[in-house]
Amino acid sequence: MNKQIWTLTCLFCLAGVSSLAERLPNIVIIYADDVGYGDIGCYGATAVDTPAIDQLAVNGIRFTSAYATASTCTPSRYSLLTGRYAFRNKNAVILPGNAPLIIDITQSTLPSVLREQGYSTGLVGKWHIGLGNPTEPLDWNELIAPGPKEVGFDYSYHMAATGDRVPSVFIENGRIVGLDSSDPVTVNYLEAVGDDPTGISHPEMLKTQADEQHAKTIVDGTSRIGWMSGGEDARWTDEEMPDVFLNKAIEFVEENKEEPFFLFYAMHENHVPRIPHPRFRGSSSLGVRGDAVVQMDWSIGRLMETLKENGLSENTIVIFSSDNGPVLYDGYYDGARELNGDHKPAGPWRGGKYSVWEGGTRMPFILSWPGTVEPGLSDALISQVDLLASLAALTGAELPQEEALDSQNLSDALFGKSEDGRDYLIQQGVKMEAIRKGPWKYIPEGDVTNRGSIGKFYTNTITPPGALFYLPEDPGEANDVARIYPAKVQELRALLDAEVGDNTARQSDREELGGAVRN
């Protein structure tokens, strides 16, 4: 018996599981974008239907205290893949579409660890962790590297950053899909390139009007952040993007079904621009924001059907979560805030994307492994940063002591054998970190950044000694009890400072909404 199977056998014998698959389980992480705790039916949503995700919860464990490490996308993705909090890397902030790779290719990552254990590893969907070498100009028309391959993915089909950032092309295994060499791509975030119309110069061409930041080069009737020229044949169609990614995810599963595989299915829904396929228009009462969630759920359902059709359901771990909390207006005037009604996208929690309030980082999180993991509900405190150490342990991998610094092996909690999760975790917002330990949440003095309902960023100022909340009785973080429990404040502040340092120094050292820009 090889080492991996022996390790898995021992693990589940100790856990009291009587059955064991003949090989290491497949692993699929479905990572939504800007989808909040309250956007999913099994977490309380009524204005949008999510039957496929709800069925995952019926078949698996639904977690109520699971967190992304940050309330914005690049930091969360960095943490999930590396097992490190993003604040440890000064470049792990929201990146422009032409930023260099921010992961050190010599360090262990989730895909590289699983690949060493014999897994075929695949990325489909959103990347947004940078591409290329920081010391060299990036030529989009040649092999684009380093990128997903260099951090452990055997196969990749992805966008460079987000749908609202250029370049608006798909990249497969390091090369732009459908690129005509006589029409080279140029990307710039500092100054205009080419003569393509922009949202400012030609607003009549737009499907949806946008703010000034999102009003640069128009691609497929939508203006983006940044300027792009060339690559006309390679540019994507927004409405078709979900089907393109879904089909690539299905292809990866079917092509690798004979051996263990790891698929990171990083969906774009419901990040802006929200332009769902016409067949999903009107499928919710929330306008295009809700329609995008319905579209996402349908795609997940199709992927689950693929697993079933190929006899893989019972030997595949499926994890569903999101990269950060929800946002209504985020640069495009698409009606999301006007049509939101009584829907609570963050559920009972305060805040959303960009903030350290609970709604910014407390995520829907479901783990399904039919026949092995008993369905149920768990309030164990877990973080996405723990997936690396936990899945490494599951598959028998050994992580060097200096790798995955912040990742903890929470296999027992993840697979429903214990309610004991983390002792505490760090929550990162824009220019601000907070800490949760048990039922307590502490936010140090400083400015908590929020995206307002009218689109402007605003701050809630926390004064000394910081704010303390008892979450079981105060999910809305409305009642600051810091002055009532000074000892608890002192305890949590000491833990926070030990992890991330002095808050005042941190605030002056970090850009608010973007990282370094290169031409």
Side-chain angles (χ1 to χ4, degrees):
M1 183 179 294
N2 67 37
K3 176 185 175 183
Q4 291 95 333
I5 297 298
W6 180 86
T7 302
L8 190 59
T9 303
C10 291
L11 173 64
F12 284 103
C13 285
L14 291 172
V17 176
S18 58
S19 63
L20 176 66
E22 294 180 356
R23 69 178 200 194
L24 290 170
N26 308 309
I27 300 169
V28 176
I29 296 178
I30 303 171
Y31 209 41
D33 198 339
D34 292 0
V35 172
Y37 188 100
D39 281 328
I40 307 302
C42 59
Y43 282 91
T46 58
V48 59
D49 294 326
T50 56
I53 299 172
D54 296 346
Q55 189 60 45
L56 272 180
V58 170
N59 295 333
I61 303 173
R62 180 169 67 88
F63 290 84
T64 56
S65 288
Y67 290 79
T69 62
S71 60
T72 52
C73 49
T74 298
S76 292
R77 293 163 194 273
Y78 173 86
S79 293
L80 186 152
L81 293 176
T82 66
R84 301 182 183 212
Y85 284 128
F87 57 76
R88 303 200 191 284
N89 181 346
K90 64 182 178 61
N91 295 315
V93 295
I94 304 175
L95 297 174
N98 63 345
L101 180 67
I102 62 171
I103 295 177
D104 181 351
I105 62 174
T106 66
Q107 72 182 84
S108 296
T109 65
L110 180 55
S112 71
V113 167
L114 294 178
R115 185 166 64 183
E116 289 174 358
Q117 296 305 103
Y119 280 76
S120 297
T121 58
L123 159 73
V124 173
K126 178 177 173 179
W127 181 238
H128 207 189
I129 314 177
L131 295 165
N133 193 312
T135 62
E136 300 173 4
L138 180 60
D139 186 346
W140 294 96
N141 308 287
E142 300 295 336
L143 181 66
I144 301 168
K149 179 180 179 180
E150 287 71 26
V151 301
F153 287 106
D154 297 313
Y155 174 78
S156 61
Y157 192 103
H158 61 96
M159 62 173 71
T162 58
D164 61 342
R165 289 170 171 82
V166 297
S168 302
V169 296
F170 298 126
I171 302 169
E172 185 172 31
N173 294 330
R175 295 190 182 274
I176 292 179
V177 177
L179 180 64
D180 182 347
S181 60
S182 66
D183 185 25
V185 169
T186 301
V187 175
N188 197 304
Y189 274 72
L190 297 178
E191 58 186 14
V193 293
D195 56 3
D196 286 71
T198 69
I200 293 176
S201 67
H202 291 73
E204 75 282 358
M205 295 178 59
L206 298 177
K207 300 174 184 177
T208 304
Q209 297 299 311
D211 65 13
E212 184 176 358
Q213 182 192 25
H214 294 76
K216 306 304 188 297
T217 299
I218 297 174
V219 175
D220 189 38
T222 299
S223 54
R224 320 281 168 162
I225 302 173
W227 292 272
M228 172 184 176
S229 67
E232 291 291 340
D233 292 344
R235 298 185 182 194
W236 66 50
T237 300
D238 290 283
E239 289 90 345
E240 297 175 0
M241 181 188 295
D243 287 347
V244 170
F245 286 152
L246 171 63
N247 289 334
K248 289 298 179 180
I250 289 174
E251 286 178 14
F252 178 82
V253 168
E254 292 181 337
E255 291 175 2
N256 293 279
K257 63 184 178 181
E258 300 302 328
E259 299 294 336
F261 63 80
F262 165 57
L263 172 63
F264 185 42
Y265 184 26
M267 309 183 79
H268 190 251
E269 293 95 345
N270 63 17
H271 196 285
V272 295
R274 302 167 185 129
I275 309 177
H277 193 280
R279 69 180 182 271
F280 293 102
R281 290 277 183 157
S283 57
S284 76
S285 64
L286 302 177
V288 293
R289 184 178 184 276
D291 297 348
V293 173
V294 173
Q295 177 174 261
M296 174 189 71
D297 184 79
W298 178 86
S299 298
I300 292 171
R302 282 291 298 117
L303 182 60
M304 299 308 295
E305 289 173 10
T306 299
L307 294 174
K308 182 177 181 180
E309 290 166 359
N310 286 276
L312 300 172
S313 295
E314 292 193 357
N315 199 41
T316 301
I317 299 168
V318 177
I319 297 171
F320 169 81
S321 195
S322 182
D323 64 349
N324 52 249
V327 61
L328 299 181
Y329 173 85
D330 207 18
Y332 296 91
Y333 302 98
D334 61 7
R337 63 174 184 261
E338 292 83 0
L339 296 173
N340 189 62
D342 295 329
H343 177 63
K344 296 181 179 180
W349 319 116
R350 181 176 179 177
K353 185 176 182 178
Y354 304 109
S355 79
V356 291
W357 303 118
E358 286 294 289
T361 56
R362 195 185 291 217
M363 296 290 97
F365 190 104
I366 299 166
L367 186 147
S368 175
W369 191 2
T372 300
V373 169
E374 181 124 4
L377 188 70
S378 175
D379 194 45
L381 187 62
I382 62 173
S383 171
Q384 293 170 8
V385 78
D386 299 318
L387 287 175
L388 176 47
S390 301
L391 295 176
L394 174 72
T395 59
E398 295 181 4
L399 285 173
Q401 187 173 5
E402 68 278 8
E403 299 282 4
L405 296 174
D406 302 298
S407 193
Q408 298 181 13
N409 177 9
L410 298 183
S411 300
D412 285 349
L414 282 172
F415 297 111
K417 297 304 171 184
S418 172
E419 282 280 332
D420 295 330
R422 279 179 159 263
D423 181 41
Y424 65 90
L425 54 77
I426 309 299
Q427 299 164 266
Q428 178 181 335
V430 173
K431 289 188 173 182
M432 168 74 74
E433 285 84 24
I435 184 171
R436 179 181 165 188
K437 182 179 181 184
W440 297 95
K441 166 79 169 284
Y442 172 71
I443 304 176
E445 63 267 21
D447 293 332
V448 180
T449 298
N450 302 270
R451 176 71 110 168
S453 61
I454 61 172
K456 301 292 185 182
F457 285 97
Y458 69 95
T459 59
N460 296 110
T461 299
I462 307 293
T463 58
L468 181 70
F469 305 100
Y470 187 71
L471 295 175
E473 297 176 0
D474 186 21
E477 295 171 279
N479 303 306
D480 178 8
V481 294
R483 299 188 185 281
I484 301 175
Y485 300 102
K488 182 59 67 174
V489 168
Q490 185 176 7
E491 173 196 352
L492 296 185
R493 185 182 185 102
L495 277 174
L496 182 61
D497 285 348
E499 290 282 0
V500 300
D502 176 69
N503 185 54
T504 303
R506 288 200 310 279
Q507 289 206 54
S508 62
D509 190 45
R510 187 170 305 147
E511 291 190 54
E512 182 169 324
L513 293 173
V517 176
R518 67 181 178 190
N519 288 340

